[in-house]
Amino acid sequence: MKSLVLAEKPSVARELARMLGCNNKQKHYIEGPKYVVTWALGHLVELKMPEDYDLQYKTWKMEDLPIIPERMGLKIIKQTTSQFKGIQQLAKRSDLQELIIATDAGREGELVARWILEKIRWNKPVKRLWISSQTDRAIKDGFNQLKPAKQYDSLYQSAVCRAEADWLIGLNVTRALTTKYDDPLSAGRVQTPSLSLILEREKEIQTFIPKEYWTIPAKIGPLTAFWEAPSQKGEKRVFDEAKAVNILDKIKNRQAIVKSIERKEKTETQPLPYDLTELQRDANRRFGFSAKKTSNVLQGLYEQHKLVTYPRTDSRYLTSDMESTMIDRIQALQSAYKEEVQPAVRQKGKVMAKKVFNNDKVTDHHAIIPTDERPILADLSPDERKLYDIIVRRFLALFYPAYRFETIQVGFQVAEEFFAAKESIVIENGFKSVTGKGEDDHQLKQLSNMQIGQSFEIKDVRMDKKMTEPPQRFNEADLLARMEKYGLGTPATRADIIEKLLSSEVIDRQNNRLHPTPKGKQLIELVNDELKSPELTAKWEADLEAIARGKGKSDVFLQNIRKQTKQLVSEIKMSDKTYKAHNITGSKCPECSSLMKEVKGKDGRVLVCSSRECGFRKRKDPKISNRRCPQCRKKMEIHNGKAGTYFQCRRCNLVEKADKQKKAVSKREERQLLKKYSGEEESFGNSLADALKAAMKDKE
């Protein structure tokens, strides 16, 4: 008898099959003596859409809302039907005694597998592979310690509740808003309060009134000191010009006497390793990566290169049993980080920051750290190297001592006024030697030799006029921090929420800052107060987490969501608020004469008919190709002229014919290739690349 192993992706299935000795490759699975490994293609099953319950829901009408099915049904995703049927056929085999769920070890992975099991009506025993990295050792250990699938029933219930809540609220509120105001208006359980946070910051910026203030720096002996308010330590600003002038007049040509010297030794402890949200924030600040880009690059490091542990974690701690694995990880890093690993090697893998081992603070997965796989940096893309490097350095910081420094603040009495100068002196660079954020070694250290009672001549005293500044708009790092604070979404979903806000054109990304659009500003005024409240969504998230831990009731949660859905739709129906599409143009649709809207597409602006029944659309901007201008390296526009297709760079006004370009494979040709060659043994996971290889071989 054999075991059926269900992976989430073909690439993971391939690795599992290799480890399990499965070599017989078929279209939908790989078979070996003891195991049959098959795979999903992400999700194969999803919740039914409204029109699957009743065809009348295909047309959006306000009178049909809210749509609340008595029992939520599942359907097979059309695009992946072939793979689903392949798994369904396997399930009928009499030589398969059990199924091992080997999808991603998290809430989403659990949902992927359980919905497939439900649709194929699997009634034999089920076990769970739960691993935090994709290395050979982790896979081997995981299969030796398979868990009963029942152990993860609560996690599955939580995933179902999340999916159904997002369907009920997101779909109904989006349909209600879109129908009432005749414009595509998307709202949801997490995306709307996230948009609200951006709008709140925008309101702060718009209502901000700048104020004038002055600072008074003075050259006191060899250093620069600043005037400080005697009643408020550290306050260097003077908001009254007359007062600033008076201070300046008082201290000119006077002596500065050292009145106080404060020395404080401080310690900064080693930072904990990354969870996904903290890594996304750091990558955004350092490299300008979007949250989505960080997730994608990280997935490659985890799945393809096997260099990091499970990415979609919300914990920054490690379990105590991992302490014995540290030396293996350090040895793996030695070739790529020869100097940086030396302290850890000398300590034989003993961690100095013992606080990192805390079983109570590890949920489904521990923090993101390097695996015991030896890195070959040359195999990584530039983006993968950047991300891997900061993960490694944050991990190595655990083996270094704390950062220790001394601050010295000297207070000077000048007439009746107080001036202060401050400096820091590094005592021990500690972990900052590896994270690269230590102090410069060539500090002047001018305050360390000062003594109380010393007097100095004052030179170059002046008034610097400045203005208070409004808070900055959020970058993705800021928004992720706020979403985490209010419990909006999960580490795995936050990047997709931000991308959804961008694609629905309610926010725009400019110079790595998130700006609300006119559409977003209007939408937030139309949405119910409860739906845009971060506190309410945070409560929902806490309820879902309680269900995942086996401490909450899924039926009670969904009853409340259904009640909430009815209330939200009712409020929209009764609302007397108005909305005006901000992107209406003066041009008319050639098919129905309605006015056209201008929307931003992936590769330029598009004109779309404002009538939802019509659906006519045409390009406004020329299509951007992947061909680069030989002069400025920017992507060129693609045009069709009398002489045929040509490329043009707007910036350099350079034109090139398209004749030299290799002909791209069209979608139709792609489907034909897959149809012709996907049945061959060499083809695996419905890969176009495999089909092309087979086509070339056939041609030869």
Side-chain angles (χ1 to χ4, degrees):
M1 298 294 278
K2 298 181 181 183
S3 299
L4 178 61
V5 180
L6 175 61
E8 194 161 328
K9 297 175 187 172
S11 57
V12 176
R14 199 164 20 232
E15 289 301 308
L16 295 176
R18 180 179 62 80
M19 284 298 298
L20 297 171
C22 303
N23 300 312
N24 180 11
K25 295 181 183 178
Q26 299 296 323
K27 184 178 178 182
H28 301 296
Y29 62 91
I30 314 172
E31 189 162 355
K34 294 182 180 178
Y35 297 94
V36 178
V37 181
T38 187
W39 56 88
L41 298 165
H43 281 274
L44 298 183
V45 179
E46 65 182 356
L47 289 171
K48 284 182 177 179
M49 294 306 287
E51 53 269 27
D52 297 316
Y53 295 100
D54 193 326
L55 275 174
Q56 74 176 38
Y57 294 146
K58 204 161 190 175
T59 305
W60 292 22
K61 296 176 189 169
M62 186 65 92
E63 56 265 31
D64 291 335
L65 300 176
I67 300 166
I68 303 177
E70 192 173 323
R71 185 180 179 278
M72 303 289 273
L74 298 174
K75 69 171 185 176
I76 299 150
I77 298 170
K78 191 177 178 182
Q79 296 88 329
T80 55
T81 302
S82 172
Q83 183 60 23
F84 176 82
K85 285 184 176 176
I87 298 172
Q88 200 170 36
Q89 285 302 115
L90 285 171
K92 294 174 183 175
R93 281 176 47 168
S94 57
D95 63 333
L96 296 177
Q97 63 177 351
E98 64 177 7
L99 185 141
I100 298 167
I101 297 174
T103 50
D104 278 0
R107 185 185 275 122
E108 201 65 20
E110 200 65 28
L111 194 68
V112 166
R114 297 293 190 104
W115 275 356
I116 293 171
L117 265 63
E118 188 174 328
K119 287 302 282 183
I120 64 173
R121 296 179 180 175
W122 182 267
N123 54 15
K124 295 176 187 176
V126 183
K127 290 179 181 174
R128 186 52 156 116
L129 173 73
W130 193 270
I131 54 177
S132 289
S133 65
Q134 293 286 335
T135 63
D136 290 359
R137 183 194 287 187
I139 292 169
K140 189 178 176 182
D141 290 347
F143 272 93
N144 287 332
Q145 300 169 31
L146 291 170
K147 309 276 195 327
K150 228 175 159 43
Q151 196 171 312
Y152 300 93
D153 283 354
S154 296
L155 187 69
Y156 168 58
Q157 287 302 324
S158 173
V160 170
C161 287
R162 181 184 296 277
E164 292 191 10
D166 288 342
W167 192 101
L168 289 163
I169 289 178
L171 186 143
N172 279 290
V173 174
T174 295
R175 283 198 176 206
L177 290 168
T178 300
T179 307
K180 177 149 187 156
Y181 300 106
D182 200 28
D183 199 41
L185 296 171
S186 177
R189 193 180 58 84
V190 179
Q191 71 183 73
T192 303
S194 301
L195 173 62
S196 179
L197 291 171
I198 295 169
L199 265 295
E200 280 175 22
R201 174 52 60 94
E202 189 67 19
K203 191 175 180 181
E204 287 176 38
I205 294 167
Q206 298 305 327
T207 56
F208 181 81
I209 300 169
K211 291 181 181 178
E212 290 181 337
Y213 71 92
W214 290 262
T215 58
I216 306 171
K219 192 83 172 172
I220 298 178
L223 48 88
T224 301
F226 284 83
W227 175 89
E228 284 191 6
S231 58
Q232 198 175 348
K233 193 173 180 180
E235 178 57 80
K236 297 182 175 71
R237 299 173 300 173
V238 183
F239 287 94
D240 183 344
E241 186 178 11
K243 182 180 177 182
V245 170
N246 183 39
I247 293 168
L248 201 66
D249 290 340
K250 263 202 273 183
I251 65 172
K252 274 182 182 175
N253 304 317
R254 302 294 292 269
Q255 289 283 308
I257 299 165
V258 178
K259 281 290 182 185
S260 63
I261 300 173
E262 284 184 32
R263 290 174 177 268
K264 285 183 183 175
E265 191 175 312
K266 296 184 179 179
T267 301
E268 189 178 326
T269 59
Q270 303 89 335
L272 291 167
Y274 289 113
D275 62 9
L276 177 57
T277 302
E278 177 66 16
L279 181 60
Q280 287 170 326
R281 291 174 60 201
D282 214 4
N284 181 256
R285 283 191 295 258
R286 291 185 184 210
F287 316 128
F289 287 5
S290 68
K292 186 67 175 172
K293 180 176 180 177
T294 299
S295 292
N296 291 342
V297 173
L298 187 60
Q299 192 67 23
L301 289 171
Y302 166 68
E303 202 174 278
Q304 182 187 342
H305 301 289
K306 306 180 181 183
L307 292 177
V308 300
T309 57
Y310 185 76
R312 293 188 288 277
T313 176
D314 61 356
S315 177
R316 296 183 62 194
Y317 290 85
L318 306 175
T319 52
S320 54
D321 62 331
M322 294 180 69
E323 199 163 355
S324 60
T325 72
M326 296 294 111
I327 189 63
D328 294 334
R329 299 171 200 272
I330 292 298
Q331 286 169 349
L333 293 169
Q334 270 191 285
S335 59
Y337 291 88
K338 190 175 180 180
E339 294 299 322
E340 293 89 339
V341 300
Q342 288 312 307
V345 172
R346 286 194 296 271
Q347 291 149 217
K348 297 179 181 176
K350 294 293 180 188
V351 169
M352 295 193 79
K354 294 291 184 186
K355 62 179 179 179
V356 74
F357 298 112
N358 189 329
N359 295 349
D360 295 336
K361 293 192 176 181
V362 176
T363 49
D364 295 334
H365 290 281
H366 57 70
I368 301 167
I369 59 172
T371 63
D372 55 11
E373 191 85 2
R374 184 172 167 269
I376 302 170
L377 298 183
D379 290 350
L380 304 182
S381 70
D383 289 341
E384 286 171 337
R385 283 190 71 164
K386 284 178 184 175
L387 209 60
Y388 182 61
D389 186 64
I390 62 172
I391 291 168
V392 168
R393 290 180 181 278
R394 180 64 73 92
F395 170 68
L396 290 177
L398 299 171
F399 300 88
Y400 282 69
Y403 171 64
R404 290 170 55 230
F405 62 102
E406 183 182 50
T407 61
I408 305 172
Q409 179 160 314
V410 176
F412 298 92
Q413 182 86 38
V414 187
E416 297 162 12
E417 302 300 330
F418 181 79
F419 280 72
K422 190 176 181 179
E423 74 179 13
S424 294
I425 299 170
V426 175
I427 299 169
E428 184 175 15
N429 219 19
F431 70 85
K432 295 208 174 187
S433 307
V434 70
T435 57
K437 294 181 181 178
E439 297 286 335
D440 293 333
D441 290 329
H442 53 277
Q443 295 175 88
L444 296 175
K445 300 177 184 174
Q446 295 166 322
L447 300 181
S448 53
N449 296 322
M450 294 262 173
Q451 293 179 1
I452 289 176
Q454 270 185 292
S455 64
F456 296 91
E457 200 176 317
I458 289 191
K459 305 170 188 173
D460 302 330
V461 64
R462 67 181 189 275
M463 282 169 53
D464 289 342
K465 183 180 175 181
K466 297 179 182 178
M467 300 287 283
T468 55
E469 294 182 354
Q472 281 194 307
R473 290 182 176 89
F474 291 142
N475 56 25
E476 285 199 30
D478 301 327
L479 182 58
L480 285 165
R482 291 297 179 98
M483 290 172 81
E484 186 175 42
K485 177 186 173 183
Y486 287 108
L488 300 179
T490 65
T493 60
R494 285 174 191 138
D496 288 326
I497 293 297
I498 295 172
E499 291 303 315
K500 192 166 186 178
L501 292 171
L502 287 161
S503 64
S504 60
E505 296 188 310
V506 293
I507 63 170
D508 195 15
R509 192 192 282 123
Q510 298 171 23
N511 299 321
N512 202 29
R513 295 279 165 186
L514 301 173
H515 296 245
T517 63
K519 181 178 181 179
K521 289 175 183 176
Q522 288 191 84
L523 174 60
I524 214 70
E525 294 301 320
L526 302 175
V527 173
N528 323 60
D529 288 339
E530 278 192 325
L531 189 57
K532 61 189 176 190
S533 160
E535 288 79 13
L536 177 64
T537 305
K539 184 188 176 300
W540 283 337
E541 291 292 346
D543 291 344
L544 287 167
E545 193 58 37
I547 293 166
R549 299 271 162 263
K551 296 175 181 175
K553 293 184 177 178
S554 56
D555 54 345
V556 173
F557 175 82
L558 287 172
Q559 279 171 15
N560 289 334
I561 288 291
R562 285 164 180 252
K563 185 179 173 184
Q564 197 85 39
T565 301
K566 290 175 185 174
Q567 183 188 328
L568 292 170
V569 171
S570 173
E571 283 181 32
I572 293 168
K573 284 182 176 181
M574 302 290 289
S575 173
D576 57 359
K577 292 174 181 174
T578 57
Y579 171 86
K580 184 180 179 183
H582 70 286
N583 55 349
I584 291 282
T585 66
S587 57
K588 290 188 175 181
C589 172
E591 293 191 2
C592 71
S593 298
S594 299
L595 289 173
M596 302 284 281
K597 293 177 184 174
E598 183 183 299
V599 299
K600 191 188 287 184
K602 285 184 179 178
D603 51 4
R605 292 175 297 172
V606 181
L607 290 173
V608 179
C609 180
S610 58
S611 169
R612 284 186 291 116
E613 287 75 27
C614 176
F616 176 81
R617 58 195 294 131
K618 68 174 183 178
R619 301 191 62 80
K620 184 173 183 180
D621 292 334
K623 190 173 182 180
I624 305 297
S625 72
N626 285 325
R627 186 155 175 169
R628 300 276 179 179
C629 171
Q631 289 183 14
C632 69
R633 305 305 299 159
K634 297 287 183 187
K635 287 185 177 181
M636 301 174 80
E637 296 172 357
I638 187 167
H639 297 269
N640 291 305
K642 290 180 182 177
T645 305
Y646 65 93
F647 297 94
Q648 181 178 12
C649 176
R650 283 282 174 205
R651 191 173 179 179
C652 307
N653 206 26
L654 186 140
V655 175
E656 284 186 353
K657 284 190 176 179
D659 304 343
K660 297 177 188 174
Q661 285 291 95
K662 291 179 183 175
K663 186 175 180 292
V665 180
S666 69
K667 288 286 180 189
R668 183 171 171 276
E669 289 168 324
E670 183 181 315
R671 283 195 297 273
Q672 286 175 332
L673 273 168
L674 283 171
K675 188 176 178 182
K676 184 175 180 182
Y677 293 101
S678 61
E680 305 250 339
E681 196 176 302
E682 292 83 6
S683 178
F684 180 67
N686 294 335
S687 162
L688 176 60
D690 289 332
L692 285 168
K693 278 182 197 171
M696 292 298 290
K697 189 176 177 182
D698 192 44
K699 191 177 179 182
E700 287 169 12

